[in-house]
Structures are given as structure tokens and as C-alpha cells.
Amino acid sequence: GLWLLLGLSLTFALLIWWLLGRPRSPNSELARALQAREFVPFLQPLVATDDEGIMGAEVLMRWQHPDEGLIRPDLFIPQAEASGLIIPMTTLIMEEVAKELGMQRALVPHGFHISFNISAAHCRDMALLDECRRFLVHFAPGQIVLVLELTERELLVADPQTLSLFSQLDEMGVRLAIDDFGTGHASLLYLQQFHVDYLKIDQSFIRRIGTESLSEHIVDNVIDLGTRLGLSLVAEGVETVEQARYLKGKGVDYLQGYLFGRPIPVRQFRDELQQRAMA
Ligand code: C2E
Ligand code: CA
Ligand code: CA
Ligand code: CA
């Protein structure tokens, strides 16, 4: 009896030792980081093509890891999406942006666009409505145009839940953008069903401008398609003056890219708005 008890306790002790000692799974590491609020928002400016004035910003997530430093989203977003943790992570950065910009909301121009990248799973979660509402109450009515960016790579299913969520978002004035446009296969019907307002032309197309090759025509085709759909166009990944001039000539409405500004921490973005206001 005693031996059996001893054996059992030994096995149990070994099991505990093994559980504590093995490397943490990526999911529990993400969950730990979420608890510690290590996911932080960076903002990148969007400019109007005609006067190159800042009319908004896209929020891009970074992981401020205690040992590894700043981690790029493509290294952790796929895992976050697979585990569903992307939803509370997005909620966290929405709260951070609302808090930081709302703190000095007089600096934010009227009608300023702020966009968040939203994954497909989040679009089936009715809590998204409340999250958007809670974001907007930090600002004066009409001060912020809240935009949700949905990637064309991850097409949404037009199920009743998603459609109902989007029609309620539409009533709240929240706008939709199709991200990475040209890389997937969003149909006209799809764009109508979800009341899409903006198309963001993928940067892989922008890079082809000025290459004077067949691939330059592909850019024109993507722009023409967007124009014919009657939606506002945003070009992302604009790095050169030549690209900006070309896109302006094609009637693209908004530009985003290193030429105009890199993504920076939300507080630094707010400080730059302040400097601009004082200048
Ligand atoms: P995206 O939504 O297409 O974002 C644009 C990416 O291009 C960003 O990379 C941005 O930093 C980068 N970029 C902007 N201008 C230029 C430029 O002129 N040249 C070049 N070479 N790159 C430029 P980032 O921040 O590393 O994000 C990568 C992707 O990760 C995003 O692509 C988006 O799909 C995803 N992501 C980022 N934040 C979030 C988030 O909060 N939620 C979700 N679901 N996905 C996110
Ligand atoms: Ca985006
Ligand atoms: Ca994109
Ligand atoms: Ca709309």
C-alpha cells in the first residue's frame, strides 16, 4: 500500500515537473502577452492625393516583447488568428488608441479617418459593435471616421450574423475597406453586400510602377477596376515621388507609404499632430 502511494506521488511529481519545465506553447505565450498588455498600436499616416495633407491613419499592431524587443505583426498575427486571441488583442489596441488620442482630442482634425485591421472571425462577433461604439465616444460626433479593413485574402461569408453586424455598423457610420485589393477575388456582389467604401490597392502592385514592363499594366487594370466600381481608392506602400505622381494621374484618392510617413507609436503620432497644430 505504502509503495503504491509512494509510486503514485512520484509519478505525480514528475508530471508536474514536466508540465512546468517544458517550453510554453505559442498560444499561452500570446495569452500571457495579452494579460501584460504587450500589444501596442503604431499609426501610419494616410494623405489626400491632391494636397498631400494628412487625412487619417492606419493602426498597425506591434508586440513589445520584454526580451525580444519589437516584433512585427506577420510573425504573430497568423498564430493569433488561429487561436482566436486576435479578437481581444484588437480590442486592446482599439482601447489604447481611443485613450491616447481621446486624451487630447482637440488635436484631432474633424473627419479624421482611423482604420483598424479586423480579421474574419471578429466579423462574426456582435461585441465588435460595442467596441466601435466605445471607441467613438472618446471623440466629438463626426470627428472620427472609423474604418475597418478586411483583407481580400480572407473573404467573409455573407451569413445572416455577419450581414446583420455590418448593417448595424453601417448605421453607426463605420466604414469598410477591402485591404490588399487585387490579390484575392472579391466580386462586385460581395462589395455590394458589405457596403464597402474603400479599396486599398495592394503594395505589390504599387511596386510595379515605373518598371516599364508588362507588369505596369496590371496596376492600371487594378486601378480601372476600382474606379469602375465607384469606390474610393487608397494606394498602400507608396515609397517614391514617381509612384505618387503616377497614382495622382490615375485619380487614386488617398496615398499611404514610407514616402509620407512610417508607422510610429500612437503617442509619437499624437505629438506630431500637436507640433502640426502649433506650426
Ligand atoms: P497591411 O494591413 O497590408 O499593412 C500594410 C503594411 O505595409 C504594414 O506592415 C506597413 O508597415 C507596411 N508599409 C506601409 N508603408 C510601406 C512602404 O512604403 N513600403 C513598405 N515596404 N511597406 C510599407 P506591418 O505593420 O508589418 O503589418 C503587416 C500586416 O500585418 C498588415 O498588412 C496586416 O495584414 C497585419 N496586421 C497589422 N496589424 C494588424 C492588426 O491589428 N490586426 C490584424 N488582424 N492584422 C494586422
Ligand atoms: Ca491594412
Ligand atoms: Ca494591405
Ligand atoms: Ca457605408
PDB file of all heavy atoms in Angstrom, residues 58 117 149 151 153 178-181 200-203 236-237 256, ligand 3:
ATOM      1  N   GLU A  58      -3.692  54.564 -40.376  1.00  0.00           N
ATOM      2  CA  GLU A  58      -3.990  53.149 -40.178  1.00  0.00           C
ATOM      3  C   GLU A  58      -3.279  52.688 -38.909  1.00  0.00           C
ATOM      4  O   GLU A  58      -2.123  53.033 -38.678  1.00  0.00           O
ATOM      5  CB  GLU A  58      -3.501  52.307 -41.368  1.00  0.00           C
ATOM      6  CG  GLU A  58      -3.717  50.804 -41.120  1.00  0.00           C
ATOM      7  CD  GLU A  58      -3.303  49.905 -42.283  1.00  0.00           C
ATOM      8  OE1 GLU A  58      -2.793  50.404 -43.302  1.00  0.00           O
ATOM      9  OE2 GLU A  58      -3.500  48.675 -42.141  1.00  0.00           O
ATOM     10  N   ASN A 117      -7.258  46.952 -38.681  1.00  0.00           N
ATOM     11  CA  ASN A 117      -7.324  45.695 -39.418  1.00  0.00           C
ATOM     12  C   ASN A 117      -8.142  44.704 -38.595  1.00  0.00           C
ATOM     13  O   ASN A 117      -7.834  44.461 -37.431  1.00  0.00           O
ATOM     14  CB  ASN A 117      -5.916  45.157 -39.653  1.00  0.00           C
ATOM     15  CG  ASN A 117      -5.132  46.069 -40.573  1.00  0.00           C
ATOM     16  OD1 ASN A 117      -5.351  46.090 -41.782  1.00  0.00           O
ATOM     17  ND2 ASN A 117      -4.238  46.860 -40.001  1.00  0.00           N
ATOM     18  N   GLU A 149     -10.691  47.571 -41.832  1.00  0.00           N
ATOM     19  CA  GLU A 149     -10.047  46.998 -43.015  1.00  0.00           C
ATOM     20  C   GLU A 149     -10.162  45.476 -42.972  1.00  0.00           C
ATOM     21  O   GLU A 149      -9.737  44.837 -42.018  1.00  0.00           O
ATOM     22  CB  GLU A 149      -8.568  47.407 -43.073  1.00  0.00           C
ATOM     23  CG  GLU A 149      -8.373  48.904 -43.168  1.00  0.00           C
ATOM     24  CD  GLU A 149      -6.938  49.305 -43.517  1.00  0.00           C
ATOM     25  OE1 GLU A 149      -6.087  48.432 -43.792  1.00  0.00           O
ATOM     26  OE2 GLU A 149      -6.671  50.523 -43.521  1.00  0.00           O
ATOM     27  N   THR A 151      -9.271  42.008 -45.079  1.00  0.00           N
ATOM     28  CA  THR A 151      -8.394  41.613 -46.167  1.00  0.00           C
ATOM     29  C   THR A 151      -9.118  40.746 -47.198  1.00  0.00           C
ATOM     30  O   THR A 151      -9.951  39.910 -46.846  1.00  0.00           O
ATOM     31  CB  THR A 151      -7.108  40.915 -45.679  1.00  0.00           C
ATOM     32  OG1 THR A 151      -6.355  40.510 -46.816  1.00  0.00           O
ATOM     33  CG2 THR A 151      -7.414  39.710 -44.812  1.00  0.00           C
ATOM     34  N   ARG A 153      -7.816  38.546 -48.843  1.00  0.00           N
ATOM     35  CA  ARG A 153      -7.285  37.186 -48.757  1.00  0.00           C
ATOM     36  C   ARG A 153      -8.163  36.281 -47.916  1.00  0.00           C
ATOM     37  O   ARG A 153      -8.104  35.073 -48.009  1.00  0.00           O
ATOM     38  CB  ARG A 153      -5.891  37.216 -48.140  1.00  0.00           C
ATOM     39  CG  ARG A 153      -4.802  37.415 -49.152  1.00  0.00           C
ATOM     40  CD  ARG A 153      -3.465  37.331 -48.443  1.00  0.00           C
ATOM     41  NE  ARG A 153      -2.880  38.654 -48.317  1.00  0.00           N
ATOM     42  CZ  ARG A 153      -2.059  39.157 -49.229  1.00  0.00           C
ATOM     43  NH1 ARG A 153      -1.727  38.446 -50.286  1.00  0.00           N
ATOM     44  NH2 ARG A 153      -1.569  40.356 -49.086  1.00  0.00           N
ATOM     45  N   ILE A 178     -11.659  47.281 -48.236  1.00  0.00           N
ATOM     46  CA  ILE A 178     -11.098  45.982 -48.617  1.00  0.00           C
ATOM     47  C   ILE A 178      -9.596  46.176 -48.762  1.00  0.00           C
ATOM     48  O   ILE A 178      -9.135  46.976 -49.582  1.00  0.00           O
ATOM     49  CB  ILE A 178     -11.723  45.451 -49.925  1.00  0.00           C
ATOM     50  CG1 ILE A 178     -13.224  45.193 -49.754  1.00  0.00           C
ATOM     51  CG2 ILE A 178     -11.012  44.159 -50.366  1.00  0.00           C
ATOM     52  CD1 ILE A 178     -13.598  44.102 -48.774  1.00  0.00           C
ATOM     53  N   ASP A 179      -8.873  45.445 -47.929  1.00  0.00           N
ATOM     54  CA  ASP A 179      -7.417  45.548 -47.875  1.00  0.00           C
ATOM     55  C   ASP A 179      -6.812  44.577 -48.897  1.00  0.00           C
ATOM     56  O   ASP A 179      -7.445  43.587 -49.252  1.00  0.00           O
ATOM     57  CB  ASP A 179      -6.985  45.147 -46.460  1.00  0.00           C
ATOM     58  CG  ASP A 179      -5.643  45.733 -46.063  1.00  0.00           C
ATOM     59  OD1 ASP A 179      -4.978  46.358 -46.901  1.00  0.00           O
ATOM     60  OD2 ASP A 179      -5.277  45.555 -44.887  1.00  0.00           O
ATOM     61  N   ASP A 180      -5.595  44.883 -49.330  1.00  0.00           N
ATOM     62  CA  ASP A 180      -4.856  44.003 -50.246  1.00  0.00           C
ATOM     63  C   ASP A 180      -5.659  43.744 -51.524  1.00  0.00           C
ATOM     64  O   ASP A 180      -5.613  42.636 -52.086  1.00  0.00           O
ATOM     65  CB  ASP A 180      -4.501  42.665 -49.567  1.00  0.00           C
ATOM     66  CG  ASP A 180      -3.857  42.878 -48.204  1.00  0.00           C
ATOM     67  OD1 ASP A 180      -3.018  43.789 -48.086  1.00  0.00           O
ATOM     68  OD2 ASP A 180      -4.207  42.155 -47.254  1.00  0.00           O
ATOM     69  N   PHE A 181      -6.386  44.781 -51.967  1.00  0.00           N
ATOM     70  CA  PHE A 181      -7.244  44.621 -53.147  1.00  0.00           C
ATOM     71  C   PHE A 181      -6.407  44.266 -54.370  1.00  0.00           C
ATOM     72  O   PHE A 181      -5.366  44.853 -54.622  1.00  0.00           O
ATOM     73  CB  PHE A 181      -8.032  45.904 -53.416  1.00  0.00           C
ATOM     74  CG  PHE A 181      -8.980  45.803 -54.577  1.00  0.00           C
ATOM     75  CD1 PHE A 181     -10.066  44.924 -54.531  1.00  0.00           C
ATOM     76  CD2 PHE A 181      -8.785  46.559 -55.723  1.00  0.00           C
ATOM     77  CE1 PHE A 181     -10.938  44.821 -55.602  1.00  0.00           C
ATOM     78  CE2 PHE A 181      -9.661  46.463 -56.808  1.00  0.00           C
ATOM     79  CZ  PHE A 181     -10.740  45.595 -56.745  1.00  0.00           C
ATOM     80  N   LYS A 200      -8.183  49.256 -50.897  1.00  0.00           N
ATOM     81  CA  LYS A 200      -6.769  49.547 -50.704  1.00  0.00           C
ATOM     82  C   LYS A 200      -5.957  48.678 -51.653  1.00  0.00           C
ATOM     83  O   LYS A 200      -5.923  47.448 -51.514  1.00  0.00           O
ATOM     84  CB  LYS A 200      -6.353  49.279 -49.251  1.00  0.00           C
ATOM     85  CG  LYS A 200      -7.112  50.165 -48.261  1.00  0.00           C
ATOM     86  CD  LYS A 200      -6.497  50.129 -46.883  1.00  0.00           C
ATOM     87  CE  LYS A 200      -5.237  50.955 -46.810  1.00  0.00           C
ATOM     88  NZ  LYS A 200      -4.712  51.026 -45.422  1.00  0.00           N
ATOM     89  N   ILE A 201      -5.355  49.343 -52.633  1.00  0.00           N
ATOM     90  CA  ILE A 201      -4.598  48.611 -53.653  1.00  0.00           C
ATOM     91  C   ILE A 201      -3.330  48.056 -53.023  1.00  0.00           C
ATOM     92  O   ILE A 201      -2.546  48.784 -52.412  1.00  0.00           O
ATOM     93  CB  ILE A 201      -4.244  49.541 -54.830  1.00  0.00           C
ATOM     94  CG1 ILE A 201      -5.525  50.200 -55.384  1.00  0.00           C
ATOM     95  CG2 ILE A 201      -3.501  48.782 -55.918  1.00  0.00           C
ATOM     96  CD1 ILE A 201      -5.242  51.361 -56.316  1.00  0.00           C
ATOM     97  N   ASP A 202      -3.134  46.773 -53.169  1.00  0.00           N
ATOM     98  CA  ASP A 202      -2.014  46.098 -52.509  1.00  0.00           C
ATOM     99  C   ASP A 202      -0.676  46.662 -52.971  1.00  0.00           C
ATOM    100  O   ASP A 202      -0.481  47.000 -54.134  1.00  0.00           O
ATOM    101  CB  ASP A 202      -2.068  44.598 -52.797  1.00  0.00           C
ATOM    102  CG  ASP A 202      -1.111  43.838 -51.896  1.00  0.00           C
ATOM    103  OD1 ASP A 202      -1.337  43.830 -50.676  1.00  0.00           O
ATOM    104  OD2 ASP A 202      -0.109  43.297 -52.418  1.00  0.00           O
ATOM    105  N   GLN A 203       0.273  46.713 -52.035  1.00  0.00           N
ATOM    106  CA  GLN A 203       1.564  47.326 -52.346  1.00  0.00           C
ATOM    107  C   GLN A 203       2.379  46.561 -53.389  1.00  0.00           C
ATOM    108  O   GLN A 203       3.258  47.144 -54.021  1.00  0.00           O
ATOM    109  CB  GLN A 203       2.371  47.603 -51.079  1.00  0.00           C
ATOM    110  CG  GLN A 203       2.651  46.411 -50.217  1.00  0.00           C
ATOM    111  CD  GLN A 203       3.292  46.845 -48.891  1.00  0.00           C
ATOM    112  OE1 GLN A 203       2.715  47.602 -48.102  1.00  0.00           O
ATOM    113  NE2 GLN A 203       4.480  46.382 -48.631  1.00  0.00           N
ATOM    114  N   GLU A 236      -1.396  51.712 -51.129  1.00  0.00           N
ATOM    115  CA  GLU A 236      -0.516  51.494 -49.974  1.00  0.00           C
ATOM    116  C   GLU A 236       0.895  51.136 -50.431  1.00  0.00           C
ATOM    117  O   GLU A 236       1.097  50.679 -51.547  1.00  0.00           O
ATOM    118  CB  GLU A 236      -1.082  50.424 -49.034  1.00  0.00           C
ATOM    119  CG  GLU A 236      -1.341  49.094 -49.687  1.00  0.00           C
ATOM    120  CD  GLU A 236      -1.881  48.034 -48.726  1.00  0.00           C
ATOM    121  OE1 GLU A 236      -2.526  48.380 -47.735  1.00  0.00           O
ATOM    122  OE2 GLU A 236      -1.637  46.855 -49.008  1.00  0.00           O
ATOM    123  N   GLY A 237       1.870  51.417 -49.580  1.00  0.00           N
ATOM    124  CA  GLY A 237       3.260  51.098 -49.919  1.00  0.00           C
ATOM    125  C   GLY A 237       3.872  52.073 -50.910  1.00  0.00           C
ATOM    126  O   GLY A 237       4.751  51.696 -51.684  1.00  0.00           O
ATOM    127  N   GLN A 256      -0.660  56.123 -49.048  1.00  0.00           N
ATOM    128  CA  GLN A 256      -0.087  55.692 -47.773  1.00  0.00           C
ATOM    129  C   GLN A 256       1.242  55.022 -48.084  1.00  0.00           C
ATOM    130  O   GLN A 256       1.329  54.241 -49.032  1.00  0.00           O
ATOM    131  CB  GLN A 256      -1.050  54.686 -47.123  1.00  0.00           C
ATOM    132  CG  GLN A 256      -0.618  54.161 -45.774  1.00  0.00           C
ATOM    133  CD  GLN A 256      -1.596  53.110 -45.229  1.00  0.00           C
ATOM    134  OE1 GLN A 256      -2.619  52.809 -45.839  1.00  0.00           O
ATOM    135  NE2 GLN A 256      -1.271  52.553 -44.079  1.00  0.00           N
TER     136      GLN A 256
HETATM  137 CA    CA B   3      -2.624  45.823 -47.321  1.00  0.00          CA
END
